Amino acid sequence: MGQRLNRCLDVPVALPPLRRRLLLLFIMLFLWLYMFYSCAGSCAGLAARGSPAPPRAAPPLPPLLPGEPGEESSLEEQRAAPDAGSPISSFFNGSGTKRLPQAIIIGVKKGGTRALLEFLRVHPDVRAVGAEPHFFDRNYERGLAWYRDLMPKTLEGQITMEKTPSYFVTKEAPARISSMSKGTKLIVVVRDPVTRAISDYTQTLSKKPDIPTFESLTFKNRTTGLIDTSWSAIQIGIYAKHLENWLLYFPIGQILFVSGERLISDPAGELGRVQDFLGLKRIITDKHFYFNKTKGFPCLKKAEGSSKPHCLGKTKGRTHPDIDQEVVQRLRDFYRPFNMKFYQMTGQDFGWD
């Protein structure tokens, strides 16, 4: 039996008994460490409770209705969104704490919020939830403890973030976020409202091919040219109206407005502004990006926790349908006064006119 064991372990029979024992102890220690790190999370949970218990189910993702206001990413995208960290990083961050977010990307749908979040996750001091929690619009009754439990663990000096674009157009969201913390930093990614509306329609069209045309949905009465502001694709783009609601609870200096257009043309420049706003060292720079000509927007050379290039999913960068240019011009005329007011309120000219 001893000779067979020696052959399996590839240990020469001539080894002294003491050395063989030490080698066996080393192998047993290695196997124990391997098993310990493999089940670190579950083993730690069992040890804390003192007895076995069934694994805790992850909180269910909030339901998403195709085409409803505020739906930035599809259900498939949310379920496929990467976790806030790998199992190894989670283990070594075991001493961290789940905190309520200090910064939230609150809008807007089809503005570039997913791109901004993925770019920010490259920063070592940013920890973010992958899926959209929809706490302040759909799940508020679940309570702050439920919301906090969705957050990744963070160490001292790290920022906890989440993004849910529908917050910007949700009337109750500003008061609810202010009630959680008046010091919460807010980020809004905005885009030419006409282009944004067409992008919004394109997303819905991909899921419901039988919906009416963009032109017919735009007007209450096409003859008179009366725009249907009750249609969410149009209503979301009246940024000045939504911003007025937020300014009742937050000072303008606590809200950063990111240009969706510049996020494509100069991602490092916009990310520099965001890092400054969040009080972070400027670590994300030009070297992190390359331009994907096929998709038409920048991609990361190395995504968080990976050594491979990363672009947003196939649902981003869809080809827009051809829209009657007369309708496009009428929409530009409709949005112009709202855009001018938004420029004045934010102190930024986004160049949409």
Side-chain angles (χ1 to χ4, degrees):
M1 179 67 180
Q3 290 180 349
R4 219 177 297 137
L5 178 61
N6 284 327
R7 281 198 299 270
C8 292
L9 297 175
D10 213 11
V11 179
V13 179
L15 274 178
L18 181 59
R19 289 191 180 180
R20 276 185 286 173
R21 288 176 187 170
L22 289 173
L23 183 58
L24 284 171
L25 284 172
F26 176 81
I27 293 171
M28 290 173 65
L29 179 62
F30 175 82
L31 290 173
W32 182 84
L33 286 171
Y34 176 79
M35 293 174 65
F36 177 81
Y37 282 104
S38 296
C39 70
S42 58
C43 292
L46 290 173
R49 287 189 290 272
S51 61
R56 182 180 180 183
L61 282 172
L64 285 178
L65 301 177
E68 81 174 275
E71 180 196 349
E72 170 69 11
S73 54
S74 68
L75 182 60
E76 292 76 12
E77 282 179 301
Q78 291 203 36
R79 294 199 185 279
D83 294 332
S86 65
I88 294 176
S89 65
S90 297
F91 173 72
F92 285 105
N93 283 339
S95 59
T97 305
K98 288 191 174 188
R99 297 179 175 89
L100 292 169
Q102 297 95 47
I104 303 176
I105 301 173
I106 59 173
V108 300
K109 179 187 178 186
K110 308 310 296 178
T113 58
R114 172 58 61 186
L116 178 60
L117 186 69
E118 292 304 304
F119 294 164
L120 276 174
R121 284 159 68 100
V122 173
H123 200 292
D125 290 334
V126 172
R127 302 279 288 163
V129 184
E132 295 170 6
H134 284 277
F135 176 66
F136 295 104
D137 57 350
R138 302 179 193 166
N139 294 297
Y140 194 63
E141 71 286 349
R142 292 179 183 245
L144 285 173
W146 176 87
Y147 185 47
R148 183 189 287 110
D149 196 49
L150 297 179
M151 300 299 138
K153 287 184 177 181
T154 53
L155 301 174
E156 194 66 34
Q158 290 184 316
I159 292 177
T160 303
M161 292 188 67
E162 71 115 318
K163 77 105 177 170
T164 304
S166 53
Y167 292 162
F168 189 63
V169 297
T170 300
K171 186 177 180 181
E172 300 80 9
R176 289 172 174 177
I177 294 177
S178 176
S179 177
M180 175 188 73
S181 172
K182 294 183 184 299
T184 306
K185 293 185 177 183
L186 309 173
I187 300 175
V188 188
V189 188
V190 289
R191 180 184 184 187
D192 181 335
V194 178
T195 308
R196 197 221 65 81
I198 297 171
S199 179
D200 197 335
Y201 173 80
T202 304
Q203 175 174 288
T204 306
L205 184 65
S206 70
K207 301 170 184 176
K208 296 181 177 180
D210 57 343
I211 62 171
T213 64
F214 180 88
E215 290 84 352
S216 62
L217 290 168
T218 297
F219 298 101
K220 281 186 177 179
N221 186 321
R222 187 164 182 177
T223 304
T224 61
L226 184 62
I227 304 293
D228 187 357
T229 56
S230 66
W231 183 29
S232 65
I234 300 296
Q235 192 258 348
I236 291 172
I238 308 176
Y239 303 139
K241 173 187 172 184
H242 304 302
L243 181 56
E244 285 177 343
N245 189 32
W246 287 90
L247 293 180
L248 295 175
Y249 298 90
F250 293 93
I252 193 71
Q254 211 167 307
I255 308 174
L256 179 69
F257 300 92
V258 175
S259 166
E261 287 83 8
R262 286 196 293 272
L263 195 59
I264 294 174
S265 64
D266 181 20
E270 285 300 280
L271 264 293
R273 294 180 60 239
V274 176
Q275 290 172 97
D276 292 346
F277 175 71
L278 295 175
L280 298 170
K281 183 178 180 181
R282 284 200 177 198
I283 289 177
I284 307 171
T285 61
D286 284 325
K287 68 181 182 181
H288 288 91
F289 302 98
Y290 74 95
F291 190 80
N292 186 305
K293 293 181 180 179
T294 304
K295 285 184 169 290
F297 49 73
C299 300
L300 289 168
K301 290 181 180 178
K302 291 182 181 180
E304 180 203 31
S306 172
S307 60
K308 298 179 180 179
H310 172 68
C311 281
L312 298 180
K314 62 182 180 181
T315 60
K316 304 301 179 183
R318 297 184 183 96
T319 302
H320 291 177
D322 291 329
I323 306 298
D324 186 329
Q325 286 306 301
E326 181 187 349
V327 174
V328 171
Q329 187 55 51
R330 287 197 183 186
L331 274 177
R332 294 207 177 282
D333 294 339
F334 165 78
Y335 278 121
R336 186 169 292 108
F338 296 110
N339 291 345
M340 293 299 109
K341 184 176 182 181
F342 185 65
Y343 296 170
Q344 291 173 354
M345 294 171 77
T346 61
Q348 292 179 238
D349 185 339
F350 292 90
W352 297 325
D353 296 284

